[in-house]
Amino acid sequence: MANKVLPTKSQLIATKKQLKLAKKGYELMDRKRNVLIREIMMLLGEAGKIQDKIDVTFQEAYDALELANITIGNTGELASTIPFDDGLTVAYRSVMGVELPMVDWVETKMDTVPYGLHSSNVSLDDAFLKFIEVKRMSAELAEIENSVFRLSDAIKKTTRRANALKNIMIPRFQSDIKFIKEVLEEREREEFSRMKIIKRNKAKAAAEEAEAELARKAALEQATA
């Protein structure tokens, strides 16, 4: 495939600038990718710990609820007295330009049992509070999982851009610079050879002219002798 870049000095300067920017861009993309990978690895470690806690707390909550159903009967009516909880708020933080969610729990009346004490017992209270704790941890886990998804997507995009710079753009600019330099050097050699020939021809013409002038003078002297 023919190289279509113009082999001029101005184009050489412009291509060198493009190569410098491409290398700088690759360095930034690679640095961003490393930061995002460190962030996602940290979040994955936290997600595993929270998931383990959720599993344990869920089991404890169901065990307590089962005991409550055994000791006080069906707890469905008491469950219907629990109000809707909208105490979660979501904000965002930026990691290398990637917006990650931050889930916050607003203190509400859900932090205390909403039903009367005379119709419940310790097992039901324990089940209620443990389910609330599971809800909080589930919100935290959802925050982490959403962040991991966003970071994973950003890492893929960053990797594609970094690879495009490293494997396509930078080699292309390097090839263009090499091509331009070779053409310019060849032109300089041709120009040097041309100037050398011109200089030699001028010297030869000057020598011939001087020789002719000497011959004319000699002929003139002979004619006047």
Side-chain angles (χ1 to χ4, degrees):
M1 182 176 179
N3 198 323
K4 296 183 179 180
V5 66
L6 295 175
T8 62
K9 290 184 177 180
S10 60
Q11 185 63 45
L12 177 62
I13 294 172
T15 306
K16 284 183 176 180
K17 289 182 179 179
Q18 290 175 320
L19 176 61
K20 184 178 180 180
L21 288 174
K23 288 182 176 180
K24 185 65 175 179
Y26 172 73
E27 291 176 2
L28 293 175
M29 289 293 104
D30 188 55
R31 190 181 307 166
K32 177 180 179 180
R33 177 174 54 189
N34 291 334
V35 170
L36 295 179
I37 290 174
R38 285 197 298 269
E39 184 73 18
I40 199 173
M41 293 304 294
M42 181 182 67
L43 290 176
L44 287 173
E46 293 180 5
K49 294 177 182 178
I50 293 175
Q51 185 63 62
D52 291 340
K53 290 181 180 179
I54 289 176
D55 293 339
V56 172
T57 308
F58 247 131
Q59 186 60 50
E60 292 175 348
Y62 277 116
D63 290 344
L65 181 61
E66 183 178 5
L67 182 58
N69 283 323
I70 293 173
T71 54
I72 64 176
N74 192 340
T75 58
E77 291 185 3
L78 291 175
S80 64
T81 65
I82 299 175
F84 175 76
D85 180 22
D86 59 351
L88 292 178
T89 60
V90 181
Y92 292 90
R93 64 187 178 96
S94 178
V95 177
M96 298 299 288
V98 182
E99 295 295 319
L100 304 180
M102 296 186 300
V103 178
D104 188 29
W105 183 282
V106 179
E107 293 295 330
T108 67
K109 59 186 177 181
M110 292 295 291
D111 294 315
T112 58
V113 293
Y115 44 80
L117 297 179
H118 67 281
S119 58
S120 65
N121 60 16
V122 175
S123 296
L124 183 60
D125 295 344
D126 188 40
F128 172 78
L129 294 177
K130 287 188 180 298
F131 276 121
I132 292 296
E133 184 62 25
V134 168
K135 185 175 182 180
R136 292 181 179 180
M137 289 190 292
S138 296
E140 186 177 355
L141 183 61
E143 170 191 317
I144 293 175
E145 289 179 343
N146 187 277
S147 297
V148 168
F149 174 80
R150 295 187 180 205
L151 287 169
S152 178
D153 185 60
I155 289 172
K156 290 179 182 178
K157 292 180 180 178
T158 303
T159 299
R160 284 198 298 268
R161 292 170 182 171
N163 289 341
L165 287 170
K166 180 181 179 180
N167 301 323
I168 299 176
M169 301 307 297
I170 291 177
R172 179 186 299 173
F173 291 141
Q174 290 174 334
S175 176
D176 289 345
I177 290 173
K178 181 181 178 182
F179 169 74
I180 295 172
K181 283 183 175 180
E182 289 176 350
V183 172
L184 292 178
E185 288 173 359
E186 181 63 25
R187 287 178 180 175
E188 288 179 358
R189 287 193 293 269
E190 291 177 355
E191 181 66 16
F192 177 77
S193 299
R194 189 176 68 84
M195 294 301 296
K196 195 173 182 180
I197 292 172
I198 291 174
K199 185 177 181 180
R200 185 168 61 245
N201 289 340
K202 284 183 177 180
K204 182 178 179 180
E208 290 176 350
E209 185 177 352
E211 184 178 350
E213 182 65 23
L214 289 175
R216 285 196 297 271
K217 287 182 178 180
L220 180 60
E221 289 176 357
Q222 289 179 359
T224 57

